[in-house]
Each structure stands twice: as structure tokens, then as C-alpha cells.
């Protein structure tokens, strides 16, 4: 299988602790965060990864080159910020199979990728993480069959399912829509989840989002032994 990793983030909210590298290269125990994602994909037998890159992308290329263990790495370089949706849409030109995993480059979610499957006419399945007492994320609601019913805005929730930042998509997910060159994948999902017959798959594995300094520091402790 193949995967696209969104690694073009500027890391604006992390500037107070990491100021000179693209966000996926933020060091966690002296290794870039992106290395933890690639190690995760290696352990899941992913053979090819397309890194969607932009800001200071040469730092990523200089560190990883074209290979990580058994994974072949392809770089899709954004010359301008395309948004998460535009970045995925552009990176799909490097994908050979009908289905591909997509991962955010600033989150780590320890799921079993092989458990994700597209049913019937569904164009996407989202890995969902159960959480309690949170206000940093919106909530995804699903029916008993796993089909997404709504996306609720960011607010305080006692409990709920959040978008874990890992997707299995059909390569033709965008083909039926007139979309701008630059767009948000999250907004695309919120607008068209019904037409996409979007599904959710619940996993309760370890989850961390390094987008803010407190969780970046938390990752230093909690991911300490993931890579030998």
C-alpha cells in the first residue's frame, strides 16, 4: 500500500519552542517527528510514501533522502500553500493504487491501518479517536453502521470522537466536485461527507498532536521508546 503524509506545515503555533524547521521536522528526542510517522508506516508494511512538502522542504529531503528503511519516498513540492485539500489532490498524481492512506504530518495515532476498509460506494474512512473532557477538537458523530452523520464544531465536550488525522481514501475522491486550487480537506469533508458516504473507524490507540507547545513537550516523554 501507499500513503500520503501532509508535511508542509509552517508550525506557527510551535514557533515559541521550534522556530527554524518545518513542523514535521520538530525534534522529538533528537529525531524529527516525521521519523516517528515513517517508522509507524514501515511497521504497517507501507511500501511507498508521498511527502507533501513546501516550507523549507529541503531540510526534509536532506535528512531522509528517497528511502526510509523499506519505504520509497517521493516528494510532492508545493510552490505555494495549497491547503490540506489542495495538497492531497496534487499529491494523488504520484499514487498508483485505487486506494491510499493519508496522514497529517503533525499527529501520531497508533492504529492498525489494515483494519481500515472502504465499504461499497464510500470514498473515505476516517480513523476516529474517543476522547474525554476536551475543548481543542471538534466531534465526529457516526451511526451504528459507522457512516458519518455530522461534524460538530470545536467546543468543550465531556466525551466524543475526534478526527484522528488518518484517512483511507479512494483515489477518485475529488473527481465529482468543482473545487478551487487551494482548499481545506477538513472543510471539504464537512461539506460533502454525505455525498462521499464517509465512514468512521474507531481506534483507541495512542494519540498525540504536536501542534501546540504543551503537547509537543508531552510527545518528548511519551514517544521516547518508539524508535530504537
Amino acid at each position: 500500500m501507499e500513503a500520503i503524509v501532509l508535511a508542509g506545515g509552517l508550525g506557527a503555533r510551535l514557533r515559541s519552542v521550534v522556530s527554524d524547521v518545518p513542523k514535521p521536522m520538530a525534534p522529538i528526542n533528537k529525531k524529527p517527528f516525521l521519523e516517528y510517522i515513517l517508522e509507524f508506516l514501515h511497521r504497517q508494511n507501507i511500501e511507498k510514501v508521498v511527502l507533501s512538502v513546501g516550507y523549507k522542504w529541503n531540510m526534509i529531503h536532506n535528512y531522509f533522502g528517497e528511502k526510509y528503511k523499506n519505504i520509497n519516498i517521493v516528494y510532492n513540492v508545493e510552490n505555494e500553500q495549497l491547503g490540506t485539500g489542495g495538497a492531497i489532490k496534487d499529491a494523488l498524481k504520484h499514487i498508483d493504487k485505487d486506494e491510499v492512506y493519508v496522514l497529517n504530518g503533525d499527529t501520531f495515532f497508533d492504529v492498525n491501518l489494515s483494519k481500515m476498509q472502504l465499504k461499497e460506494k464510500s470514498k473515505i474512512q476516517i480513523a476516529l479517536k474517543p476522547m474525554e473532557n476536551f475543548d481543542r477538537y471538534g466531534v465526529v458523530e457516526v451511526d451504528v453502521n459507522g457512516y458519518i452523520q455530522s461534524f460538530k464544531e470545536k467546543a468543550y465536550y465531556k466525551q466524543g470522537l475526534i478526527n484522528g488525522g488518518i484517512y483511507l481514501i479512494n483515489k477518485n475522491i475529488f473527481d465529482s466536485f468543482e473545487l478551487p486550487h487551494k482548499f481545506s480537506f477538513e472543510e471539504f469533508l464537512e461539506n460533502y461527507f454525505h455525498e462521499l458516504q464517509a465512514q468512521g473507524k474507531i481506534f483507541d490507540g495512542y494519540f498525540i498532536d504536536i501542534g501546540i507547545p504543551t503537547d509537543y513537550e508531552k510527545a518528548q516523554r511519551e514517544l521516547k521508546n518508539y524508535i530504537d
Side-chain angles (χ1 to χ4, degrees), residues 153-189:
E153 291 187 6
K154 191 184 298 185
Y156 171 78
Y157 296 97
K158 190 171 183 181
Q159 59 185 23
L161 299 170
I162 69 160
N163 178 345
I166 296 180
Y167 312 92
L168 176 62
I169 69 171
N170 190 295
K171 188 179 178 181
N172 67 8
I173 186 170
F174 301 117
D175 289 0
S176 300
F177 304 94
E178 291 288 333
L179 297 165
H181 185 54
K182 306 176 184 180
F183 66 100
S184 159
F185 189 57
E186 295 74 17
E187 289 180 9
F188 170 75
L189 293 180

Side-chain angles (χ1 to χ4, degrees), residues 3-8 24-25 34 37-38 41 48-54 57 60-61 64-65 72-78 87 91 94 105:
I4 295 168
V5 178
L6 298 173
M25 293 299 285
L34 183 56
I37 296 175
L38 291 175
L41 292 172
K48 175 181 171 183
V49 169
V50 179
L51 294 180
S52 176
V53 294
W57 78 274
I60 300 174
H61 182 265
F64 291 106
N72 292 314
I73 299 174
V74 176
Y75 294 85
N76 193 64
V77 183
E78 295 179 39
H94 298 290

Side-chain angles (χ1 to χ4, degrees), residues 171-224:
K171 188 179 178 181
N172 67 8
I173 186 170
F174 301 117
D175 289 0
S176 300
F177 304 94
E178 291 288 333
L179 297 165
H181 185 54
K182 306 176 184 180
F183 66 100
S184 159
F185 189 57
E186 295 74 17
E187 289 180 9
F188 170 75
L189 293 180
E190 290 170 12
N191 290 334
Y192 299 114
F193 67 88
H194 183 71
E195 292 90 332
L196 295 168
Q197 296 192 34
Q199 309 160 236
K201 178 75 174 175
I202 300 169
F203 296 95
D204 204 13
Y206 174 76
F207 173 87
I208 190 82
D209 173 351
I210 64 159
I212 59 173
T214 52
D215 278 13
Y216 173 67
E217 296 300 333
K218 189 177 171 187
Q220 303 285 348
R221 301 187 303 272
E222 296 181 345
L223 287 173
K224 192 171 184 180

